[in-house]
DNA sequence: ACTTTATAGTGATTTTTTTCACATTAATAA
DNA sequence: TTATTAATGTGAAAAAAATCACTATAAAGT
C-alpha cells in the first residue's frame, strides 16, 4: 500500500498507543490524541492513515477497536508468526524468556546453537544443534529468523537461513549482512544505538 | 554539523565497516567500497562525508586510519562514556554481560533494580537499589542511561533520570516516553521490529 | 430544523533527502 | 613531461516526506 518506511514505523507506534488507550477505556480517539501519544503531528497521523486507506468520522474521530483491527490486518496479526532464534547467548536467551511476544501473535518455534550444553528437546521452546536449522525451517515453513550469534558467525547463519527459505531476518550481530536476495533484514546494533545517542548528546552540549 | 538523522546512522555504519576493512589489511578505501560494505551508493557516501567536512584524495580514495579517526571524533570516542542500566532483567543482564562495549569506549558504570536479590556492591559493575539512582547519576556525572524495566515502570524511571541530569536514554520498554525536555531518547522496541519485518515479508509475498 | 463547531481528509506547498552529473584533480602510464 | 584515467567533491535536479491550509461533513448546541 504505502512505500514510506517511516510511515510503517509510525503505524506500528499508533497501534501500540491504541492498545494502551483502549486499556484506559478509550472508545474513540482523535488524530491529535495519537499524535500526542506518539510524538508526531495530527496532520501526520491523518496523512499516514490516508496512505493506508484508513478512515474515521468527520468530527467524530476514529473508533479505537476499528483502528486496532485495521492495523492488526496490516501487520498480519490474525495469523501466528513462527520465529526461530539462532544463538542462545545473552541476547538469544533474553528473547526466549520474554513473555511479551505472544500477545503480538509472535511464537518462538525453536532455537539453535552450536554449544551442545544448550541443546534441549523437551523445553517449551526446543533447542537444537545448528545442523538441524535448515531442515527445521523447511519442515515447519518458518519465514522469520533472529540472528543472535557472534559477528563472525552471522553471515554463515544468514546463508543457511536464506537457502532454507527464510524471508525476514532480525540481526543483532554488528555487521551488515551481504544481502543480494529478496530477504528482508532489519539490523539491531546496540553499540550503534548508544553511539548515536552519544552523538546527539555531544551535539546538544555544543549548542 | 549535519542535521540529517539518516546520515548519522550511515556514518556509524561506515565506521563499523572501516574497522572491519582495517582488520583485513585495507589502508585506503574508495567511496564505492564503503557503499558496498554498507548497502548504499558511492554518491551517498561522498555526500555524507561532505556534510561532515570529511575529505579524501581525488583519485586516491580515503585513508582508512584518517577516516576512522575523524569518525571517532564525531562520536566522541576519545572519551569514555559512562552508562547506567536500570532494570536488571533479561535485557539488562544481556547488556551487562556483553563484552563489546569497551572497544567502543562505552563503560557500564552501575546497574539499578528494585529486586533486592539483585543488589551487589562488589561485582565489577555494582548493582544498587533504585533509591540510589539519582544520587549516583549526580555524583558520577552520568549522561547516558538505559531503561530496561517493565513498561509500567519506564516513565517513572525516566523522570528520575531527567531530574538527575541524564542527557540521553536508550529505552527498551515498549512505550513512548513522555518527553518535553531536551533529553534525547532512542527507543528500541523489539516487538515492533519483528512486526515491521512481518509487514515487509507480507508485502513481498503479495507482489 | 438551523447554526455552529470541531475534526477528518487531502491537494498543494514546503522541506528534506537522495541521486545525478560533471568539473576538478591527483595518480599512473606513455 | 605530457596525456590519460579514475576517483573525489559538490552544485543542480529529482524524489520523497512532512507540513500546511482549506473543504467537507458529522456531531452538538440553539
Ligand atoms: N549482549 C549484548 O548486550 C549485545 C550488545 C550488542 C551487540 N550484541 C551482539 O549480539 C550478538 C549476540 O550477542 P550475545 O551477547 O548474545 O553473544 P553470546 O556470546 O552471549 O552468545 C552467542 C551464542 O551463539 C552461539 N553460537 C556461536 N556460533 C554459532 C553458530 N555458528 N551457530 C549457532 N550458534 C552459534 C554461542 O554458542 C552462544 O550461545 C553478537 O553478535 C553481539 O555482538 C550483543
Ligand atoms: N526480553 C526481551 O526480549 C524483550 C523484548 C521486547 C521488549 N522488552 C522490553 O524490555 C524491558 C525489559 O524486559 P526484560 O525482559 O528484561 O524484563 P524483566 O522482567 O526480565 O526485567 C525487568 C527488571 O526490572 C526490574 N524492575 C521493575 N521495576 C523496576 C523499577 N521501578 N526500577 C528498577 N527496576 C525495576 C525488575 O526487578 C527486573 O529485574 C521491558 O519493558 C520489556 O517489555 C524485552
Amino acid at each position: 500500500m504505502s512505500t514510506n518506511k517511516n510511515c510503517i514505523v509510525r503505524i506500528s507506534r499508533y497501534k501500540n498507543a491504541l492498545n494502551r488507550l483502549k486499556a484506559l477505556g478509550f472508545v474513540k480517539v482523535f488524530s491529535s490524541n495519537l499524535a500526542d501519544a506518539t510524538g508526531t503531528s495530527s496532520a501526520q497521523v491523518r496523512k499516514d492513515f490516508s496512505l493506508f486507506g484508513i478512515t474515521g468520522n468527520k468530527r467524530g474521530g476514529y473508533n479505537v477497536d476499528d483502528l486496532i483491527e485495521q492495523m492488526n490486518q496490516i501487520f498480519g496479526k490474525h495469523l501466528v508468526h513462527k520465529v526461530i532464534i539462532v544463538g542462545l547467548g545473552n541476547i538469544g536467551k533474553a528473547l526466549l524468556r520474554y513473555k511479551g511476544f505472544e500477545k503480538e501473535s509472535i511464537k518462538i518455534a525453536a532455537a539453535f546453537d552450536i554449544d551442545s550444553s544448550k541443546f534441549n528437546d523437551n523445553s517449551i521452546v526446543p533447542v537444537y544443534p545448528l545442523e538441524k536449522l535448515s531442515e527445521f525451517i523447511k519442515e515447519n515453513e518458518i519465514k522469520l529468523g533472529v540472528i543472535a550469534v557472534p559477528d563472525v558467525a552471522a553471515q554463515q547463519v544468514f546463508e543457511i537461513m536464506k537457502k532454507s527459505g527464510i524471508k525476514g531476518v532480525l540481526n543483532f550481530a554488528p555487521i551488515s549482512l551481504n544481502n543480494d536476495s529478496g530477504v528482508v533484514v532489519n539490523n539491531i546494533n546496540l553499540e550503534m544505538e548508544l553511539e548515536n545517542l552519544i552523538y546527539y548528546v555531544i551535539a546538544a552540549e555544543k549548542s
Side-chain angles (χ1 to χ4, degrees), chain A:
Chain A
M1 190 84 79
S2 161
T3 182
N4 181 335
K5 224 170 170 251
N6 301 340
C7 170
I8 316 289
V9 171
R10 282 193 302 266
I11 295 270
S12 205
R13 291 218 186 97
Y14 302 149
K15 183 168 74 62
N16 196 275
L18 281 165
N19 281 316
R20 275 156 212 290
L21 292 171
K22 183 181 163 74
L24 290 173
F26 278 59
V27 173
K28 64 173 191 177
V29 287
F30 301 125
S31 56
S32 65
N33 298 145
L34 286 171
D36 291 346
T38 58
T40 184
S41 69
S42 63
Q44 182 76 80
V45 173
R46 295 199 302 276
K47 189 61 140 188
D48 288 340
F49 283 6
S50 159
L51 290 173
F52 276 92
I54 294 172
T55 62
N57 312 301
K58 292 235 165 93
R59 197 174 156 153
Y62 304 82
N63 177 283
V64 171
D65 285 329
D66 287 356
L67 274 188
I68 291 176
E69 173 50 28
Q70 288 183 79
M71 294 184 184
N72 282 345
Q73 209 68 36
I74 291 171
F75 293 108
K77 281 294 149 68
H78 47 296
L79 298 171
V80 171
H81 298 277
K82 287 177 285 185
V83 179
I84 47 138
I85 297 177
V86 181
L88 255 199
N90 297 315
I91 293 285
K93 268 187 268 174
L95 293 173
L96 203 63
R97 289 186 190 139
Y98 186 59
K99 301 282 170 252
F101 290 130
E102 283 163 37
K103 71 169 174 357
E104 299 291 338
S105 32
I106 293 165
K107 179 176 158 44
I108 301 177
F112 298 85
D113 208 296
I114 46 165
D115 179 350
S116 60
S117 73
K118 297 190 173 165
F119 303 160
N120 186 343
D121 286 18
N122 302 314
S123 49
I124 306 169
V125 178
V127 183
Y128 300 119
L130 185 66
E131 290 72 46
K132 292 217 173 165
L133 177 58
S134 185
E135 186 191 319
F136 188 93
I137 293 172
K138 286 177 193 162
E139 282 190 0
N140 297 278
E141 295 184 313
I142 308 289
K143 297 277 171 287
L144 301 166
V146 174
I147 296 181
V149 297
D151 49 4
V152 290
Q155 185 70 44
Q156 176 214 352
V157 169
F158 182 53
E159 296 299 330
I160 301 175
M161 286 181 169
K162 271 199 293 193
K163 276 195 204 119
S164 315
I166 287 274
K167 294 280 181 284
V169 170
L170 195 60
N171 171 43
F172 283 88
I175 62 158
S176 4
L177 296 172
N178 200 329
N179 181 19
D180 24 24
S181 66
V183 177
V184 187
V185 177
N186 279 8
N187 294 294
I188 302 207
N189 189 326
L190 298 176
E191 280 128 311
M192 206 177 279
E193 294 289 341
L194 277 170
E195 194 164 271
N196 196 269
L197 208 51
I198 293 169
Y199 173 82
Y200 286 105
V201 170
I202 292 175
E205 269 172 10
K206 280 180 188 159
S207 66

